[in-house]
Amino acid sequence: MAIHPLAGKPAPDDILIDVAEIEKAYYERGPNVEDPQQLVSFGTSGHRGSPLDATFNEAHVLAITQAICDYRAGQNISGRLFMGKDTHAASGPAQRSALEVLAANGVETVIQRDDGFTPTPAISRAILVHNRGKKEALADGIVVTPSHNPPADGGFKYNPPEGGPADTDVTDWIQERANALLREGNRNVKRLAYDAAIRLATTHQEEMAGPYVDGLTKVIDMAAIHSAKVRIGVDPLGGSALGYWQKIAERYRFDITIVNSRIDPTFKFMTLDHDGKIRMDCSSPYAMAGLVNLKDRYQVAFGNDADADRHGIVTPSMGLMNPNQYLAVAIHYLLTHRPGWSKDVAVGKTLVSSSLIDRVVERHGRKLYEVPVGFKWFSPGLFDGSICFGGEESAGASFLRSDGTVWTTDKDGIILCLLAAEIIATTGRDPARWYVDLTNKLGRPFYSRTDVPANAAQKKALKALRAEDLAANQLAGEPITAKLTRAPGNGADIGGLKVSAPNGWFAVRPSGTEDLCKIYAESLKSEEHLKLIQDEAWQIVQSVFAASGQ
């Protein structure tokens, strides 16, 4: 995909959203239930859409929330529901709508006091802490967020009592029930007026940041960071992590500079992403250009997306590290600095993450657990401690506490950022230098992910790909060793195709949240070899698009 001429540059005023227009559309527009694109659809991380497209509106949120209430009743989930929201324009209205339904259904709901924001990992942590040692009256959660998506988008995701993203059997049930409610005009949705809902005894406005921040000593060596006086720069990218970083700096007396403390749902302080859109993608060098330009002022700098479930690590020597690079370093460091972890626990990665991770895991004599895209695949293992680390190439990861017990079962961008500071504090070297050391010993990978526009029919065709659909027996001049449509770790369908050869691989899959096709490729030989792999992958994608009639 061609890079937009304004990529990495400040957002011009003429592309900023009109917040009032977003809110008006949220309340006044409704979905056409005859149009599948306007129904509830849970991707890899909840339902997402835009009020302007009638794909994320009040009707959707009311239906989804009632469906969640119905699911809770059917599963006898009767404890607290922790609900967080991020800083997108549609998130506030959506949280209010959800609360109206939760209150009418008698659900005991906890929200951040003072109409504040709550990151995804804090919701996961709150659920797990509440449920520890309990067998009944279990808690669950909702996070109102479209993650790193553009400012006009909204999102809604459900976390069951295990604290992580709901599995497909749960989301399929909620999706089907929500769409049935929509088709009935939401007649069976229970609802109270917001003013009444917020005053009910079942609605609790609490400080949710404190317990999360206080618990960080159990998962990160905060004392080492303080003692080493690591100079840290943080850009929350206008997201829900801002208040958390402020509390971390105060609580642990770190040398932290928050370079951007603005909350503005237009996100006008962002630099544009590769395609000229505003996107709070902390793994994108274009979206993170402002912080990258400040890299020489700090020993390490980092950013989070709007709900803080992703991380972006910036070092003086490398600038923004590719997520694969940092995941390999993080895994290597943790496997040598967490003596409380059992030697029998596995390391989890998605099958589109770098094969350098495979080599790091093998070097440490650990088991690799390779799964499809979607953090939900790691949640059970993190919950029971059989996986010590789970990470995605899209900069989402979490890991166990130092004693080998669960921290979060959802992605936690905050602890991955703090880990970078811990690495500096305890080893005297930043993550980028550790990455160079690893590649000198294990080989340098050449990795790329390309996003290609794809409509619904094209995405459906890609998702339906099977190994037998690919007649080729060579990839970039090497014999193909595997054609995968199921992940080797858990046998789950990957929703696309991965093709491997001795020194390279590619994978193609449709995005679960945007109108895109993602093409991943990696070579263990050279940039030229990577280009050959990419070209052959693109030819396959084009043939699939042609076969779909699009």
Side-chain angles (χ1 to χ4, degrees):
M1 179 183 291
I3 302 301
H4 193 277
L6 294 181
K9 297 180 181 179
D13 290 344
D14 61 359
I15 74 163
L16 300 180
I17 63 166
D18 182 330
V19 175
E21 181 186 10
I22 296 291
E23 294 190 2
K24 186 172 186 288
Y26 172 81
Y27 288 111
E28 295 184 358
R29 296 189 187 182
N32 174 5
V33 295
E34 302 302 322
D35 182 356
Q37 298 303 305
Q38 295 185 24
L39 292 176
V40 173
S41 177
F42 277 78
T44 54
S45 190
H47 172 75
R48 296 183 189 176
S50 171
L52 300 177
D53 299 332
T55 51
F56 186 87
N57 301 86
E58 183 181 50
H60 295 98
V61 173
L62 295 175
I64 296 170
T65 310
Q66 183 63 54
I68 289 171
C69 291
D70 295 345
Y71 175 80
R72 294 179 100 243
Q75 298 296 314
N76 196 29
I77 301 170
S78 58
R80 290 181 151 201
L81 184 144
F82 295 90
M83 181 162 58
K85 68 174 180 182
D86 74 2
T87 54
H88 278 76
S91 294
Q95 187 186 63
R96 291 192 288 274
S97 299
L99 184 62
E100 293 172 359
V101 177
L102 294 167
N105 282 270
V107 176
E108 188 176 359
T109 305
V110 182
I111 59 175
Q112 172 62 35
R113 71 185 186 194
D114 302 322
D115 198 27
F117 309 105
T118 309
T120 285
I123 294 296
S124 178
R125 184 71 192 144
I127 295 168
L128 294 170
V129 170
H130 182 275
N131 290 344
R132 186 184 297 141
K134 294 184 178 180
K135 294 184 185 285
E136 55 186 27
L138 298 178
D140 54 0
I142 288 171
V143 190
V144 185
T145 175
S147 190
H148 63 292
N149 278 25
D153 287 7
F156 204 88
K157 60 184 181 180
Y158 174 65
N159 287 27
E162 293 75 25
D167 203 348
T168 49
D169 59 339
V170 179
T171 56
D172 286 350
W173 193 96
I174 293 172
Q175 176 180 307
E176 184 176 347
R177 175 61 177 150
N179 285 328
L181 290 165
L182 281 177
R183 291 188 178 99
E184 298 168 355
N186 279 343
R187 288 192 305 271
N188 291 310
V189 172
K190 300 177 184 177
R191 184 181 186 187
L192 288 176
Y194 179 75
D195 288 345
I198 197 70
R199 291 197 303 267
L200 274 186
T202 54
T203 299
H204 306 278
Q205 300 186 64
E206 299 181 0
E207 174 49 59
M208 299 175 70
Y212 174 91
V213 171
D214 290 345
L216 287 169
T217 57
K218 302 296 185 181
V219 69
I220 295 291
D221 191 343
M222 304 295 274
I225 299 172
H226 170 73
S227 298
K229 297 180 172 57
V230 180
R231 296 190 314 281
I232 301 168
V234 178
D235 188 347
L237 301 182
S240 59
L242 173 61
Y244 282 64
W245 285 117
Q246 291 169 333
K247 288 183 181 296
I248 288 168
E250 179 182 355
R251 166 76 168 78
Y252 296 102
R253 294 178 291 129
F254 285 175
D255 183 3
I256 287 181
T257 300
I258 298 176
V259 304
N260 171 27
S261 59
R262 288 172 288 178
I263 298 290
D264 179 347
T266 68
F267 294 91
K268 63 183 178 183
F269 43 75
M270 290 294 300
T271 50
L272 300 184
D273 203 1
H274 63 90
D275 55 359
K277 294 183 179 181
I278 296 176
R279 189 179 287 111
M280 288 60 69
D281 185 354
C282 51
S283 66
S284 165
Y286 304 104
M288 288 277 281
L291 187 58
V292 172
N293 289 338
L294 303 177
K295 64 184 178 62
D296 294 326
R297 298 186 187 181
Y298 309 103
Q299 289 175 274
V300 66
F302 28 72
N304 299 114
D305 62 341
D307 69 319
D309 69 347
R310 302 188 186 205
H311 59 273
I313 308 301
V314 176
T315 69
S317 63
M318 187 177 285
L320 181 67
M321 295 185 71
N322 179 281
N324 278 302
Q325 297 171 343
Y326 181 60
L327 290 181
V329 171
I331 291 166
H332 170 70
Y333 174 83
L334 288 167
L335 293 181
T336 55
H337 288 78
R338 292 297 186 270
W341 289 3
S342 168
K343 299 292 185 183
D344 297 325
V345 296
V347 175
K349 60 162 272 193
T350 52
L351 82 173
V352 296
S353 301
S354 174
S355 54
L356 178 63
I357 294 172
D358 305 41
R359 295 184 176 187
V360 170
V361 173
E362 182 181 9
R363 182 186 184 195
H364 288 284
R366 300 296 186 115
K367 177 183 176 183
L368 184 71
Y369 182 68
E370 194 170 13
V371 298
V373 172
F375 202 80
K376 63 188 177 186
W377 304 112
F378 300 127
S379 297
L382 289 168
F383 183 75
D384 64 19
S386 61
I387 294 176
C388 60
F389 182 100
E392 300 183 298
E393 60 79 33
S394 56
S398 191
F399 50 90
L400 298 179
R401 299 197 300 174
S402 299
D403 65 359
T405 60
V406 62
W407 169 250
T408 62
T409 49
D410 211 329
K411 296 175 284 192
D412 190 335
I414 294 174
I415 64 166
L416 267 294
C417 290
L418 288 169
L419 183 66
E422 180 189 327
I423 291 171
I424 294 172
T426 59
T427 70
R429 303 169 69 191
D430 71 35
R433 298 193 183 281
W434 276 109
Y435 175 73
V436 172
D437 182 70
L438 283 177
T439 57
N440 286 339
K441 294 175 181 175
L442 302 177
R444 179 187 173 192
F446 298 85
Y447 183 97
S448 173
R449 190 191 95 183
T450 305
D451 293 347
V452 178
N455 60 33
Q458 292 168 334
K459 289 169 66 174
K460 182 178 180 180
L462 282 173
K463 195 170 184 178
L465 269 177
R466 291 294 175 259
E468 54 269 23
D469 296 334
L470 182 63
N473 55 23
Q474 286 198 329
L475 175 64
E478 294 186 323
I480 291 175
T481 56
K483 301 175 184 179
L484 300 176
T485 57
R486 294 190 173 274
N490 60 359
D493 194 317
I494 66 177
L497 176 70
K498 181 177 180 178
V499 178
S500 299
N503 289 292
W505 59 269
F506 76 84
V508 295
R509 55 175 292 274
S511 170
T513 58
E514 297 182 85
D515 291 330
L516 297 171
C517 156
K518 299 174 185 287
I519 305 176
Y520 310 82
E522 185 173 50
S523 168
L524 298 174
K525 294 173 68 174
S526 66
E527 288 280 5
E528 293 75 19
H529 187 239
L530 172 64
K531 181 65 165 56
L532 289 174
I533 295 173
Q534 289 176 300
D535 288 345
E536 294 185 21
W538 175 232
Q539 290 172 15
I540 291 171
V541 170
Q542 286 182 308
S543 67
V544 172
F545 284 179
S548 72
Q550 301 295 315

